[in-house]
């Protein structure tokens, strides 16, 4: 079943390694929905925000090289990582807005015979399903509506801000993840932290801040009755799931909140098994909420 | 159109209601009315006990920052009708991350203290004082000069929400205003201080500051500039800079992020050992990143060429 | 703040007392720029001539000479402090032409000159360790045996009153635009310092001279800069006529501020307005030009009036903009009371006379702010500290307690609204004997009602209403001074336009008006104008 949708697929470093279940699930989900994902064998890391701190022109050139690959493929980029999304979109915004900057960056790329002309758009899986594919269509594919799930949508920072670079969802009143959760038959839970930060960027640099932040977000959702969290970002996923134990220790409280990457929630509703979704790799087992 | 405003009231002086509560006011809102106008209308016509700060009413003095429907805004340049239509309500609260004094008035003392801590004034040396400022030099500090000290960024800052000692975006943007000034004589010393704990490396990059700055200061951008400047000045002996260095190395080597190496390089051998209990749990779930088994991307030479070129350009810039 | 920096530099213990945090002061809103003759082709004499002529010869030429001579070094000093004025292509400080100036001598910091300067002042206050009593509102200037002893101030946070004992006091509290309904001034521009000085026995000077800006948004009073007309915007009336063709056939919308303001007011008063406004029509410029060249103005119209000039004309009207008058001081900023100094818009040196030129107000704050700091420091060094009268704090506490205690009275907001109406209707752009008399009667009546007004907020913490009550008291006194000056001055000069005396009268009125307050009563007096280099002639552009 073809939809005609095809993308240059950029899972991001973390999804290929530490949270590889998200990458594997996304490939299966896309296949089921008839969305073509084309690999980008040459694509490097986007810099995860850190290269921006290292050297701004270098960061632009590294990202322009990624865009050049997608441009040659004639496709927009699809990522399943919000940080990749934000980092690439910000570089793309700057390059598209400033012809001088684009020209300077292309001078660097020219040394390797590459060129980026500013035609690529960067999207994430959530947006592709919410807009390009359509939630009505997604709803039709659902074989197992997730009616028992009260899911706290955790957008995370980098799928919402800076909105002038991302240009999709509304940073004050985001709808895409809420609407997607509903389309899958689950109930989205409203809570204050849904647009806030998981703390990932300082996991190693200021770990206490990161741990408390993670815990606070999870508790905000739990207090409003959520029985699971859903995030479109593997970094948020790592913090909310892997480091939930550290958060519990930092706040001296038990949380016990299962966390899904968005692709896994879609997979679940499309009838995939916990094995197919790689749920055994989670540190907080979602077993008790899987039916 | 009549619109209901839900306003958080607080008066520790009021013996009958010393705790915060919400009070509703109905306001007839005309086309073009701002939130500040509506608040003035409430205080003049319905309830003169409502306290809030205001002055220029044209988004330049920085007095009237408050939380509107959950986000930090200037009341004076926010139109009521579009905001109400978008958010489906009108809830007004004092700025977050700051202690309320009365109603919508918060204690700004920590804000000013943070500002003063970064020495917010030019400190030229005899040698640097006469450096000519070109239009391009001005451009570098232009955004940071637009700050009106309204505290929207600090109120939105997710790191400050958790760690009240964090220097926070407003003072960091101000710090760049001087570090980035060609006439400044103590830039390196400033960067060293900013690299300490609770300093610029504690920013969680949540992008709230840049998103909610009403003046386009883009504090996160200024933080990135400070961090770059610190690294270029060789201030590398701190977890933040090491983290970035490890990242840059990893991308140059493999084209990818090497998680294990990053932890190790950022924290050093001893501190990394502290991560072992978690590491074992992660290993059991197949989540432990293994060092140096990261496969290289195709065309890694292109990436390395970009690094070489960037380094060459940086060197050239320094010569100038 | 400039005065505080200068005094601190001379090693004195200095504090700034302000009802709002210093970076909030309304200088922050000044966009245009600051004048100084920097180039070889320009001269301070030329700057002086333009200023004297602009003042309609009412400015004191000795003071104007000081300002224009010292301007260049003060600009350089601002740069040394950290300001970065916009540069020209050669890297020199850029200067642009401004109304009424014979040479492009206005320096600027993009479109936020006042903001840039004010923040540099804040930076220097921090650098010099000047203590800031922020959100402390001064209730009284304490003068005993003919010299200043300090102030009594209300700490807004807690509602506590404090005595601040000092050898000298510098007033720099800005203008009083808020006595009018339509004003470009901040909500905090209530002329407090002028009222305080008046109560302390210092006369106010030339209060009848109020500058009106022609393109102000109704309700909010936000300024639409002259750029909108400079780029080719039209002013039209309810019939869709470009009425400036009638009043200034040659330059039309680009005529000087007072001419455009009077034309608009005529249209409105003769029934060709739209809801009390005229329309600023930019639509013919096209969306592209509006979005690129006038993006800031478009943003203001959308944010503050809810109107997009690309599709809809923007309603505008004249609004009060600047107070030429103020606390009478000499060129060293000395008032009639030893130890008491004043500078900036709250003072009247006078450098602006009957009409201020664009770019001279920021300049005045910097030059005379510095001079006030020097004068105050010299005074402090030459004088022994004298005691602060014991009873002063007790009396002030008592009077505040009485205000808070008063039951069942009129709302201060109703009184303020009535004051705004009276000033706007009877003491606005067009004045005559009859209108002014009505306005005066109204203000006298409001003065009586004010004494019986009661507050709804009785709490200590951050009592906005109490602050506004105190401000209103000052504004009523100021309104009375403006009206007295305007009624008395039977001529038209600069911003003061009498329909019953439409000509300038140098024989009788080339002199400053003084208003004293003694025992609660106002008394008029006069002071000669200093004429040194330039003899009065007709003001024509």
């Amino acid at each position: 079943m073809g939809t005609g949708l095809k993308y240059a697929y950029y899972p991001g470093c973390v999804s290929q390694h530490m949270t590889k279940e998200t990458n594997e699930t996304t490939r299966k989900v896309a296949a089921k929905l008839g969305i073509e994902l084309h690999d980008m064998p040459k694509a490097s890391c986007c810099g995860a925000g850190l290269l921006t701190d290292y050297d701004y022109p270098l960061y632009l050139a590294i990202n322009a090289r990624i865009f050049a690959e997608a441009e040659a493929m004639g496709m927009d980029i699809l990522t399943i990582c919000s940080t990749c999304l934000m980092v690439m979109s910000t570089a793309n915004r700057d390059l598209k807005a400033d012809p001088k900057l684009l020209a300077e960056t292309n001078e660097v790329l020219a040394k390797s015979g590459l060129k980026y002309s500013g035609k690529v758009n960067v999207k994430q899986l959530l947006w592709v399903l919410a807009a390009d594919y359509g939630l009505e269509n997604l709803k039709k594919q659902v074989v197992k509506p997730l009616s028992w799930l009260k899911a706290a949508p955790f957008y995370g920072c980098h799928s919402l801000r800076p909105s002038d670079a991302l240009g999709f969802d509304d940073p004050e009143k985001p709808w895409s993840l809420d609407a997607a959760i509903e389309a899958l038959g689950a109930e989205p839970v409203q809570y204050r932290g849904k647009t806030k930060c998981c703390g990932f960027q300082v996991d190693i640099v200021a770990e206490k801040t990161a741990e408390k932040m993670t815990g606070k977000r999870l508790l905000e959702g739990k207090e409003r009755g959520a029985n699971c969290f859903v995030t479109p970002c593997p970094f948020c996923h790592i913090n909310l799931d892997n480091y939930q134990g550290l958060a519990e220790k930092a706040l001296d409280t038990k949380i016990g909140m299962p966390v899904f990457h968005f692709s896994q929630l879609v997979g679940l509703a499309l009838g995939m098994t916990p094995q197919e979704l790689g749920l055994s790799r989670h540190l907080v087992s979602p077993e008790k909420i899987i039916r | 159109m009549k619109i209901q405003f839900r306003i958080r009231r607080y008066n520790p002086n009021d013996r009958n209601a010393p705790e915060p509560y919400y009070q509703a006011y109905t306001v007839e809102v005309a086309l073009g009315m701002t939130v500040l106008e509506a608040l003035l209308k409430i205080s003049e016509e319905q309830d003169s006990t409502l306290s809030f700060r205001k002055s220029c009413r044209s988004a330049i003095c920085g007095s009237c920052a408050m939380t509107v429907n959950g986000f930090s805004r200037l009341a004076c340049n926010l139109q009521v009708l579009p905001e109400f239509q978008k958010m489906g309500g009108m809830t007004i609260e004092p700025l977050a991350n700051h202690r309320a004094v009365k109603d919508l008035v918060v204690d700004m003392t920590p804000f000013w203290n943070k500002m003063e801590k970064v020495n917010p004034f030019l400190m030229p040396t005899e040698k640097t004082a006469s450096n000519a400022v070109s239009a391009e030099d001005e451009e570098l500090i232009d955004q940071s000069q637009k700050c009106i000290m309204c505290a929207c960024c600090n109120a939105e800052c997710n790191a400050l929400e958790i760690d009240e000692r964090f220097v926070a975006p407003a003072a960091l943007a101000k710090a760049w205003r001087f570090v980035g000034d060609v006439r400044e004589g103590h830039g390196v010393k400033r960067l060293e201080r900013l690299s300490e704990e609770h300093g610029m490396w504690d920013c969680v990059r949540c992008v709230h500051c840049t998103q909610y700055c009403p003046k386009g200061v883009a504090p996160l951008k200024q933080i990135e500039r400070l961090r770059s400047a610190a690294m270029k000045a060789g201030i590398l002996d701190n977890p933040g800079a090491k983290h970035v260095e490890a990242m840059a190395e990893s991308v140059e080597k493999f084209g990818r992020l090497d998680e294990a190496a990053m932890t190790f390089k950022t924290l050093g051998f001893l501190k990394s050992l502290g991560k072992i209990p978690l590491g074992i749990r992660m290993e059991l779930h197949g989540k432990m990143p293994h060092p140096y088994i990261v496969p290289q991307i195709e065309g890694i030479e292109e990436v390395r060429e970009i690094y070489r070129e960037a380094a060459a350009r940086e060197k050239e810039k320094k010569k100038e | 703040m400039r005065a505080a920096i200068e005094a601190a530099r001379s090693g004195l213990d200095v504090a700034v007392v302000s009802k709002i945090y210093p970076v909030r002061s309304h200088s922050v809103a000044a966009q245009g720029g600051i004048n100084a003759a920097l180039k070889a082709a320009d001269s301070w004499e030329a700057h002086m001539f333009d200023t004297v002529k602009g003042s309609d010869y009412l400015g004191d030429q000795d003071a104007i000479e000081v300002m224009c001579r010292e301007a260049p070094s003060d600009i350089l000093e601002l740069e040394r402090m950290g300001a970065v004025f916009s540069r020209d292509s050669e890297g020199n400080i850029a200067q642009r032409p401004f109304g009424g100036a014979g040479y492009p001598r206005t320096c600027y910091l993009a479109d936020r000159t006042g903001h840039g300067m004010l923040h540099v002042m804040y930076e220097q206050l921090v650098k010099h360790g000047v203590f800031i009593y922020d959100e402390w509102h001064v209730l009284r200037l304490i003068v005993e045996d003919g010299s200043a002893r300090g102030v009594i101030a209300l700490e807004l946070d807690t509602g506590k009153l404090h005595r601040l004992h000092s050898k000298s006091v510098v007033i720099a509290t800005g203008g009083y635009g808020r006595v009018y309904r339509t004003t470009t001034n901040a909500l905090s521009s209530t002329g407090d310092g002028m009222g305080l000085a008046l109560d302390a026995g210092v006369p106010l000077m030339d209060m009848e001279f109020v500058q009106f800006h022609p393109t102000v948004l109704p309700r909010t009073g936000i300024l639409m800069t002259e750029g909108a007309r400079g780029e080719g915007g039209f002013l039209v009336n309810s019939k869709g006529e470009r009425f400036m063709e009638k009043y200034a056939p040659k330059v039309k919308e680009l005529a000087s501020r007072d001419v455009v303001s009077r034309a608009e007011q005529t249209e409105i008063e003769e029934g060709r307005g739209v809801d009390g406004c005229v329309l600023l029509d930019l639509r013919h410029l096209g969306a592209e030009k509006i979005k690129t060249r006038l993006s800031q103005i478009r943003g203001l119209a959308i944010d503050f009036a809810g109107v997009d000039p690309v599709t809809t004309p923007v309603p505008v009207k004249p609004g009060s903009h600047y107070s030429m008058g103020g606390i009478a001081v000499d060129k060293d900023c000395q008032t009639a009371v030893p130890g008491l100094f004043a500078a900036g818009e709250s003072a009247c040196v006078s450098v602006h006379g009957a009409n201020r030129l664009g770019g001279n107000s920021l300049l005045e704050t910097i030059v005379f702010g510095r001079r006030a700091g020097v004068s105050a420091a010299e005074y402090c060094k030459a004088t022994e500290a004298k005691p602060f009268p014991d009873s002063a704090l007790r009396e002030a506490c008592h009077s505040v307690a009485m205000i808070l205690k008063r039951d069942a009275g009129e709302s201060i907001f109703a009184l303020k609204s009535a004051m705004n109406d009276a000033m706007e209707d009877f003491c606005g752009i067009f004045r005559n004997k009859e209108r002014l008399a009505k306005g005066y009667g109204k203000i006298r009546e409001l003065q009586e009602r004010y004494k019986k007004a009661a507050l709804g907020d009785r709490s200590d913490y951050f009592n906005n209403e109490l602050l506004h009550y105190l401000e209103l008291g000052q504004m009523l006194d100021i309104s009375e001074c403006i009206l007295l000056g305007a009624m008395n001055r039977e001529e038209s000069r600069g911003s003061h336009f009498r329909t019953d005396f439409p000509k300038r009268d140098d024989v009788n009125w080339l002199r400053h008006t003084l208003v004293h307050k003694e025992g609660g009563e106002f008394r008029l007096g006069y002071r000669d104008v200093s004429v040194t280099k330039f003899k009065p002639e007709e003001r024509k552009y």
Side-chain angles (χ1 to χ4, degrees):
Chain A
M1 178 197 57
T3 57
L5 295 175
K6 52 182 185 176
Y7 300 92
Y9 181 50
Y10 185 94
C13 300
V14 175
S15 299
Q16 295 178 70
H17 197 58
M18 204 160 157
T19 65
K20 62 182 177 213
E21 65 273 22
T22 60
N23 176 26
E24 287 158 7
T25 303
T26 301
R27 288 178 186 278
K28 290 172 201 156
V29 164
K32 268 185 185 273
L33 296 177
I35 298 170
E36 286 178 33
L37 300 182
H38 295 263
D39 284 331
M40 302 176 70
K42 284 173 60 183
S44 70
C45 170
C46 66
L50 302 182
L51 278 187
T52 329
D53 296 344
Y54 184 72
D55 185 86
Y56 177 69
L58 174 77
Y59 147 73
L60 284 182
I62 291 282
N63 279 277
R65 181 179 164 277
I66 302 171
F67 304 151
E69 187 180 5
E71 204 169 63
M73 293 161 73
M75 298 172 201
D76 281 343
I77 293 173
L78 185 154
T79 177
I80 54 170
C81 171
S82 300
T83 294
C84 297
L85 174 77
M86 182 279 282
V87 169
M88 289 196 282
S89 300
T90 306
N92 209 14
R93 172 198 63 191
D94 292 356
L95 291 169
K96 284 182 179 181
D98 185 349
K100 200 175 137 232
L101 203 59
L102 181 61
E104 282 169 11
T105 305
N106 270 323
E107 278 172 34
V108 177
L109 293 191
K111 302 256 166 180
S112 310
L114 300 170
K115 184 173 187 294
Y116 174 50
S117 49
K119 293 207 184 80
V120 171
N121 295 308
V122 185
K123 302 175 175 184
Q124 66 168 335
L125 178 67
L126 173 62
W127 300 356
V128 164
L129 294 190
D132 298 5
Y133 187 84
L135 292 176
E136 277 309 308
N137 292 331
L138 180 64
K139 209 170 169 177
K140 286 180 202 145
Q141 302 300 322
V142 170
V143 298
K144 193 164 83 173
L146 310 173
S147 56
W148 67 94
L149 287 185
K150 286 172 179 295
F154 191 82
Y155 286 85
C157 301
H158 298 161
S159 68
L160 296 176
R161 294 174 298 272
S163 60
D164 65 343
L166 300 172
F168 185 79
D169 217 333
D170 187 317
E172 287 92 46
K173 205 184 177 188
W175 58 272
S176 57
L177 189 51
D178 288 74
I181 289 171
E182 262 180 283
L184 300 173
E187 179 194 333
V189 173
Q190 299 309 316
Y191 66 110
R192 180 63 191 94
K194 83 176 188 182
T195 58
K196 289 195 172 184
C197 180
C198 69
F200 180 81
Q201 287 267 345
V202 295
D203 273 357
I204 312 181
V205 177
E207 52 186 343
K208 280 289 157 255
T209 297
E211 289 161 8
K212 284 183 198 160
M213 199 178 286
T214 303
K216 194 166 177 196
R217 303 294 172 251
L218 287 163
L219 287 173
E220 283 165 348
K222 190 176 179 179
E223 277 162 21
R224 301 300 291 266
N227 58 12
C228 67
F229 265 56
V230 183
T231 174
C233 175
F235 282 115
C236 296
H237 189 266
I238 289 177
N239 260 37
L240 296 173
D241 176 50
N242 281 24
Y243 299 155
Q244 197 174 118
L246 295 175
E248 287 176 334
K249 220 181 269 173
L251 296 177
D252 194 23
T253 181
K254 185 86 191 118
I255 301 173
M257 178 66 70
V259 182
F260 294 106
H261 183 265
F262 174 63
S263 59
Q264 295 174 314
L265 200 73
V266 178
L268 200 60
L270 295 183
M272 288 164 62
T273 64
Q275 287 71 32
E276 284 176 292
L277 302 173
L279 293 181
S280 63
R281 289 172 54 80
H282 290 200
L283 265 76
V284 180
S285 170
E287 208 173 340
K288 61 180 184 202
I289 54 157
I290 297 295
R291 287 185 194 167
Chain B
M1 183 182 180
K2 281 196 178 356
I3 287 180
Q4 196 183 70
F5 281 68
R6 251 180 98 241
I7 300 181
R8 199 172 96 136
R9 302 296 311 272
Y10 172 57
N11 182 2
N13 212 210
D14 183 346
R15 254 175 253 146
N16 298 323
E19 293 299 318
Y21 61 96
Y22 287 85
Q23 190 165 349
Y25 301 93
T26 304
V27 183
E28 178 67 39
V29 174
L31 183 74
M33 190 183 259
T34 63
V35 172
L36 179 62
E37 281 183 86
L39 290 174
L40 287 168
K41 216 169 153 179
I42 291 170
S43 74
E44 290 176 9
E45 294 169 10
Q46 299 186 36
D47 186 349
S48 62
T49 67
L50 180 65
S51 291
F52 51 97
R53 290 192 175 102
K54 71 276 174 185
S55 183
C56 78
R57 88 265 171 271
S58 57
I60 190 71
C61 80
S63 298
C64 66
M66 52 187 72
T67 308
V68 181
N69 289 323
F71 297 89
S72 306
R73 313 298 282 270
L74 294 180
C76 71
N77 71 350
L78 183 62
Q79 288 279 307
V80 176
L81 290 177
E83 173 71 12
F84 178 79
Q85 273 144 15
K86 174 176 151 186
M87 301 302 276
M90 192 49 88
T91 299
I92 302 190
E93 298 163 302
L95 274 185
N97 292 348
H98 294 77
R99 181 182 66 83
V101 176
K102 185 191 173 202
D103 297 338
L104 304 173
V105 176
V106 297
D107 181 8
M108 290 284 284
T109 314
F111 179 89
W112 301 118
N113 287 347
K114 286 178 193 300
M115 201 54 85
E116 284 169 24
K117 230 176 153 175
V118 300
N119 289 330
F121 42 84
L122 192 68
M123 295 192 289
T125 59
E126 244 171 76
K127 223 177 98 199
T128 62
S130 55
N131 285 350
V133 185
S134 68
E136 292 84 63
D137 296 333
E138 196 279 331
E139 179 74 31
L140 263 183
I141 52 172
D142 190 61
Q143 284 178 316
S144 62
Q145 290 201 83
K146 291 181 183 167
C147 175
I148 59 171
M149 301 195 177
C150 63
C152 278
C153 57
N154 282 14
E156 287 289 330
C157 176
N158 278 208
L160 185 62
E161 178 191 357
I162 302 296
D163 174 16
E164 62 178 17
R165 293 173 66 191
F166 178 47
V167 55
L172 287 170
K174 190 75 177 167
W176 171 253
R177 188 254 161 274
F178 301 106
V179 171
D181 192 315
V182 293
R183 301 166 301 176
E184 171 63 26
H186 298 82
V188 174
K189 213 173 281 166
R190 287 178 189 268
L191 290 166
E192 279 167 358
R193 275 191 65 186
L194 292 171
S195 297
E196 290 167 9
E197 241 184 306
H198 310 289
M200 62 177 173
W201 292 104
D202 284 20
C203 157
V204 295
R205 209 186 294 273
C206 67
V207 206
H208 276 93
C209 55
T210 293
Q211 182 77 35
Y212 293 99
C213 172
K215 301 306 285 185
V217 172
L220 176 58
K221 177 85 192 168
Q222 315 322 321
I223 293 171
E224 289 168 355
R225 284 173 159 154
L226 284 170
R227 287 171 167 180
S228 277
M231 295 194 67
K232 280 167 190 165
I235 305 165
L236 301 172
D237 192 19
N238 59 73
K242 282 184 191 163
H243 193 216
V244 171
E245 230 186 1
M247 174 73 171
E249 251 175 56
S250 172
V251 174
E252 189 176 11
K253 213 178 211 162
F254 306 109
R256 294 183 205 273
L257 173 156
D258 175 358
E259 291 134 353
M262 287 195 44
T263 307
F264 190 74
K265 282 185 183 154
T266 306
L267 295 181
F269 178 68
L270 277 178
K271 268 197 153 176
S272 296
L273 284 181
K275 296 273 179 203
I276 282 180
L278 175 68
I280 293 170
R281 271 190 76 203
M282 283 168 61
E283 179 67 36
L284 289 174
H285 290 80
K287 286 236 162 162
M288 192 61 192
H290 291 262
Y292 305 115
I293 56 161
V294 182
Q296 277 179 6
I297 58 162
E298 281 179 30
I300 183 72
E301 261 316 308
E302 293 171 8
V303 170
R304 290 177 189 160
E305 182 61 40
I306 291 174
Y307 269 76
R308 277 193 292 276
E309 186 61 22
R313 282 170 185 234
E314 181 62 29
K315 219 170 166 187
E316 209 165 287
K317 221 169 81 192
K318 262 194 187 152
K319 258 191 229 154
E320 276 178 21
Chain C
M1 290 160 87
R2 183 65 188 85
I5 292 162
E6 204 57 30
R9 277 175 169 174
S10 68
L12 296 178
D13 185 5
V14 188
V16 170
V17 186
S18 172
K19 67 175 175 179
I20 50 180
Y21 203 84
V23 294
R24 317 278 187 231
S25 301
H26 200 55
S27 300
V28 80
Q31 299 178 347
I34 175 167
N35 296 335
L38 297 178
K39 303 254 163 69
D42 197 6
S43 68
W44 66 263
E45 289 94 340
H47 183 187
M48 178 180 169
F49 172 72
D50 290 339
T51 304
V52 171
K53 182 179 166 193
S55 80
D56 222 349
Y57 294 90
L58 192 67
D60 286 311
Q61 297 188 15
D62 56 343
I64 295 173
E65 177 171 340
V66 162
M67 180 173 83
C68 298
R69 265 177 186 272
E70 295 178 359
S73 64
D74 271 313
I75 295 284
L76 298 180
E77 171 69 8
L78 282 171
E79 282 246 331
R80 268 194 299 277
M81 287 176 174
V84 185
F85 286 96
S86 295
R87 298 301 204 250
D88 62 18
S89 54
E90 282 152 34
N92 298 315
I93 293 175
Q95 291 184 291
R96 60 186 170 202
F98 244 49
Y103 190 88
R105 68 168 71 92
T106 306
C107 313
Y108 53 95
L109 268 125
D111 58 355
R112 44 172 205 276
T113 313
H115 168 270
M117 285 171 55
L118 192 71
H119 280 248
V120 166
M121 292 299 119
Y122 157 74
E123 292 164 18
Q124 295 295 307
L125 285 186
V126 176
K127 181 178 175 182
H128 288 96
V130 173
F131 194 85
I132 300 168
Y133 293 96
D134 59 304
E135 296 183 326
W136 285 39
H137 179 67
V138 174
L139 292 179
R140 296 247 158 102
L141 289 173
I142 302 304
V143 175
E144 180 113 323
D145 294 335
S147 72
R149 305 291 168 92
V151 302
I152 288 176
L154 168 71
E155 184 185 10
L156 294 175
D157 254 14
T158 61
K160 288 198 177 97
L161 263 58
H162 300 270
R163 37 179 261 172
L164 293 164
H165 184 193
S166 65
K167 281 188 184 173
S168 85
V169 176
V170 177
I171 302 172
T173 51
Y176 54 69
R178 283 284 148 186
V179 306
Y180 287 90
R181 176 171 304 287
T182 308
T183 174
T184 63
N185 285 196
L187 293 161
S188 52
S189 296
T190 51
D192 307 317
M194 296 184 199
L196 292 170
L198 200 59
D199 282 331
V202 176
L204 302 185
M205 187 161 93
D206 292 342
M207 292 297 281
E208 60 272 31
F209 296 100
V210 182
Q211 189 171 65
F212 291 86
H213 195 284
T215 48
V216 172
L217 296 179
R219 282 207 335 266
T220 52
I222 306 283
L223 190 74
M224 305 298 281
T225 65
E226 269 147 16
R229 283 172 286 139
E231 290 290 342
F234 295 157
L235 288 168
V236 296
N237 60 19
S238 62
K239 296 174 164 173
E241 296 162 343
R242 250 185 106 184
F243 57 84
M244 285 311 295
E245 287 173 345
K246 202 163 54 187
Y247 301 93
K250 271 194 205 145
V251 286
K252 300 184 187 85
E253 280 83 359
L254 298 177
S256 66
R257 284 179 186 178
D258 51 340
V259 173
V260 180
S261 291
R262 285 200 283 271
E264 290 177 358
Q265 193 62 28
T266 306
E267 292 296 310
I268 294 166
E269 288 187 9
E270 291 179 1
R272 292 186 297 278
V274 180
D275 296 331
C277 296
V278 296
L279 299 173
L280 176 64
D281 195 347
L282 303 177
R283 290 174 301 176
H284 58 282
L285 300 176
E288 186 58 30
K289 190 166 183 185
I290 295 174
K291 282 178 184 165
T292 52
R293 302 290 293 273
L294 297 169
S295 66
Q296 217 202 352
I297 283 174
R298 177 170 179 250
L300 290 174
I302 292 173
D303 287 350
F304 298 104
V307 167
D308 186 346
V310 171
T311 56
T312 319
V314 186
V316 295
K317 64 192 291 191
S320 85
H321 184 52
Y322 188 82
S323 348
M324 267 76 73
I327 302 163
V329 294
D330 65 15
K331 60 183 191 295
D332 295 317
C333 306
Q334 174 68 57
T335 68
V337 171
L340 184 60
F341 304 85
E345 193 176 348
S346 64
C348 183
V349 190
S350 151
V351 287
H352 307 307
N355 177 54
R356 175 182 67 82
L357 291 189
N360 269 354
S361 58
L362 286 176
L363 178 61
E364 183 195 8
T365 64
I366 290 302
V367 171
F368 290 99
R370 172 178 49 75
R371 293 176 71 90
V374 171
S375 298
E378 279 171 3
Y379 177 85
C380 287
K381 285 180 179 164
T383 317
E384 285 298 310
K386 294 183 189 131
F388 197 93
D390 287 335
S391 59
L393 183 62
R394 209 170 46 240
E395 282 163 22
C397 286
H398 179 70
S399 73
V400 169
M402 292 308 285
I403 296 165
L404 289 173
K405 230 171 74 184
R406 213 179 286 152
D407 272 325
E410 254 186 295
S411 141
I412 60 161
F413 301 108
L415 293 180
K416 174 165 178 290
S417 189
M419 171 190 74
N420 288 154
D421 286 341
M423 293 304 285
E424 193 118 335
D425 294 345
F426 304 124
C427 194
I429 292 173
F430 292 121
R431 300 166 173 181
N432 61 42
K433 193 172 175 185
E434 203 186 329
R435 281 188 182 187
L436 291 167
K438 267 192 203 160
Y440 181 71
K442 190 78 198 167
I443 296 296
R444 291 296 308 172
E445 175 206 321
L446 291 171
Q447 289 274 31
E448 290 307 312
R449 284 160 65 187
Y450 175 75
K451 290 176 193 156
K452 287 178 270 182
L455 305 185
D457 192 350
R458 310 288 168 89
S459 70
D460 295 333
Y461 291 14
F462 224 94
N463 188 332
N464 269 339
E465 199 185 10
L466 174 60
L467 173 64
H468 297 332
Y469 176 87
L470 298 166
E471 290 169 343
L472 179 61
Q474 310 291 18
M475 286 195 287
L476 285 169
D477 275 1
I478 289 167
S479 298
E480 198 167 331
C481 292
I482 298 171
L483 281 157
L484 279 172
M487 284 193 290
N488 193 49
R489 185 176 286 273
E490 296 185 330
E491 65 156 352
S492 290
R493 182 187 296 270
S495 67
H496 173 66
F497 193 87
R498 289 277 302 248
T499 53
D500 44 356
F501 299 95
K503 290 254 156 29
R504 195 174 89 187
D505 174 2
D506 285 342
V507 177
N508 295 305
W509 290 107
L510 187 60
R511 56 179 178 171
H512 299 295
T513 309
L514 294 176
V515 184
H516 302 262
K517 188 180 177 189
E518 286 162 356
E521 294 300 313
F522 293 84
R523 178 176 64 78
L524 282 164
Y526 301 97
R527 181 186 283 182
D528 290 338
V529 174
S530 150
V531 178
T532 57
K533 283 192 159 59
F534 305 107
K535 294 283 165 267
E537 47 188 68
E538 198 190 344
R539 177 171 162 250
K540 251 172 125 179
Y541 290 105

